[in-house]
Amino acid sequence: MSQLGALAGGTAFMFSGYNLVWLDWSHIGAVTVLPTCLFFVEALFKHFERDQQSQPTDVAYVRRWPLIGFSLSVTIGLLAGHPETFYFCALLISLYLVFRLATLWRRADNRTMRLKWARLSVYIGLAALQLVPFAEYLANSAVDRRSAIWMQHALTINWPLALYPDLLGNPSQPDTLNALTNNFGNYNEVNGVYLGGAVLYLALLGLAFIRRNRHRQLILFFGTIAFVWLFYAYDLFGVKQAFNIIPGVAQSFSGRSLPIFLFAVSVCAALSLDHLLTVEGLQPQHRLWTLVSVGFGCVLLTTGAYSAYFLLSNAGTAAISDLLANQKATMQQATHYFDQLLTHTTTITISCGLAIVLVGALLSSRHKRVALTSAIGLLALVFI
């Protein structure tokens, strides 16, 4: 993967809502297990792939340092002191292990290599037995018993906050309208889903170009994870109950699984930007892809902006009425709060529109300098 793509994905996940709003809590210490463990897992499997291709390596060194790093990462995640977040991160790590084992098994071209993958699968399965005591602990521990229905309701109503953070105010800033109390949620819970319009657009674009992408298997895996999470967290078609057969899920909040979704989307965005950088100018007959991509982005942006405006109109009006009824603010102050939020949403909408323009420039330009400038602009928007 290109450095710009990797940097964009890392930046997106690092500055995602969950990792910012819970920065003063133990949640983030547990989240670190996700990128670090996956890094060492990938390093270990890269060694197996080189071994499969009969490339000489320093066997003792290559096999030891990923395992040592993986063990230290798991230890740090456990000691962070937030079992729910660690549990969901461990689920994604386990799924990725199964995915990598399956891909290596399929690529193995002789019986000896297949036996090696089979032995590795058995070792991982034996090690997974250590998770059973943890599942029993989680089911019987004094975990927070707040209503999971309340959490699901907050996520469902407040989904536009994935594009527009602080849309309903920020309690740490007294000059903003705090509409959260009128909207079934608190600041940390409902703003944790934020990733930004540029990141979401790149991720969806990566799924659209999946057949052309050299990392199609990774995009398919993480894209599937993201979509499955949406069905679980928002209880689409009432499927959430089916996930409770997984030990520990029924005792955990949907909001604590947010790192899974945020990481999966960030990876898809990184792989998408990497693909856009490798496109060496589309032929005239393929320029339709540029128009489709830009049009798709405009539709997404319009939908998000309208949903944000609808949410702000309802929750904001209720919050203003509450302020006036309790004489906590004058009409002039309340109107000022509302105008500030409108300016906030307009600024974000413009930045998302700029991301769409830059993607169009990446797809349509044949000049590497223009493509590199557009990619750097996208990276800046992801950071902002």
Side-chain angles (χ1 to χ4, degrees):
M1 182 190 298
S2 63
Q3 292 184 349
L4 279 177
L7 186 58
T11 302
F13 182 68
M14 181 170 58
F15 289 104
S16 60
Y18 193 91
N19 292 336
L20 292 179
V21 298
W22 295 112
L23 195 58
D24 293 336
W25 301 70
S26 60
H27 303 55
I28 308 307
V31 171
T32 58
V33 75
L34 186 54
T36 52
C37 281
L38 289 181
F39 170 79
F40 290 116
V41 166
E42 187 62 23
L44 182 62
F45 278 98
K46 288 295 184 184
H47 157 70
F48 287 130
E49 288 177 345
R50 287 193 297 266
D51 191 18
Q52 184 176 344
Q53 297 171 1
S54 301
Q55 296 182 4
T57 57
D58 187 345
V59 176
Y61 172 74
V62 171
R63 288 186 177 178
R64 287 176 183 172
W65 75 265
L67 295 175
I68 294 173
F70 183 87
S71 301
L72 290 176
S73 300
V74 172
T75 302
I76 292 172
L78 287 171
L79 294 178
H82 202 269
E84 287 177 311
T85 302
F86 175 83
Y87 169 72
F88 282 112
C89 291
L91 282 181
L92 179 55
I93 295 169
S94 301
L95 289 173
Y96 187 75
L97 275 169
V98 173
F99 165 73
R100 291 295 274 130
L101 281 170
T103 54
L104 285 176
W105 177 276
R106 188 167 58 87
R107 293 175 185 173
D109 54 359
N110 58 67
R111 184 172 180 272
T112 302
M113 294 303 300
R114 289 182 183 273
L115 288 175
K116 180 181 291 188
W117 307 145
R119 288 199 301 269
L120 182 60
S121 302
V122 172
Y123 297 155
I124 294 176
L126 291 174
L129 294 176
Q130 301 177 45
L131 296 176
V132 174
F134 171 74
E136 294 177 350
Y137 153 76
L138 186 62
N140 296 280
S141 65
V143 296
D144 194 349
R145 298 296 179 181
R146 288 176 296 174
S147 174
I149 298 178
W150 173 88
M151 176 64 67
Q152 174 197 329
H153 194 50
L155 285 172
T156 304
I157 290 180
N158 299 314
W159 74 264
L161 294 175
L163 294 172
Y164 298 93
D166 290 350
L167 177 65
L168 301 180
N170 188 329
S172 66
Q173 299 176 4
D175 61 337
T176 61
L177 176 66
N178 184 12
L180 291 169
T181 54
N182 301 89
N183 202 55
F184 309 101
N186 63 57
Y187 180 82
N188 285 19
E189 300 293 357
V190 299
N191 281 278
V193 72
Y194 170 74
L195 260 176
V199 178
L200 293 173
Y201 175 51
L202 283 173
L204 290 173
L205 206 60
L207 293 172
F209 284 108
I210 189 170
R211 294 184 62 182
R212 297 165 173 261
N213 200 309
R214 58 195 176 101
H215 301 294
R216 64 180 64 90
Q217 289 184 338
L218 283 174
I219 289 186
L220 181 61
F221 172 78
F222 284 105
T224 302
I225 292 294
F227 277 109
V228 169
W229 182 89
L230 290 174
F231 278 83
Y232 160 71
Y234 293 96
D235 194 21
L236 300 179
F237 305 107
V239 301
K240 188 175 182 179
Q241 192 66 27
F243 287 90
N244 291 338
I245 63 174
I246 304 174
V249 171
Q251 289 78 31
S252 302
F253 294 140
S254 304
R256 301 301 177 259
S257 64
L258 267 171
I260 292 178
F261 174 74
L262 298 174
F263 188 84
V265 174
S266 298
V267 172
C268 289
L271 296 174
S272 175
L273 182 56
D274 174 74
H275 173 69
L276 293 175
L277 286 170
T278 59
V279 175
E280 299 179 353
L282 296 177
Q283 299 298 323
Q285 63 269 24
H286 296 151
R287 294 293 171 88
L288 179 62
W289 281 106
T290 303
L291 296 176
V292 170
S293 301
V294 172
F296 178 63
C298 292
V299 171
L300 289 176
L301 182 57
T302 302
T303 303
Y306 177 79
S307 301
Y309 176 77
F310 181 80
L311 177 61
L312 182 57
S313 297
N314 289 283
T317 301
I320 289 177
S321 300
D322 181 67
L323 289 173
L324 295 176
N326 294 288
Q327 297 182 346
K328 295 180 181 179
T330 65
M331 177 61 74
Q332 183 178 3
Q333 290 173 324
T335 304
H336 173 68
Y337 297 155
F338 198 72
D339 289 341
Q340 276 191 318
L341 291 176
L342 285 177
T343 303
H344 176 66
T345 56
T346 301
T347 303
I348 294 177
T349 302
I350 293 174
S351 65
C352 293
L354 182 58
I356 296 172
V357 173
L358 292 174
V359 168
L362 265 174
L363 284 171
S364 60
S365 175
R366 298 192 181 194
H367 302 285
K368 291 184 178 181
R369 187 170 299 179
V370 175
L372 182 60
T373 303
S374 301
I376 293 175
L378 282 171
L379 179 60
L381 289 175
V382 169
F383 177 79
I384 294 174

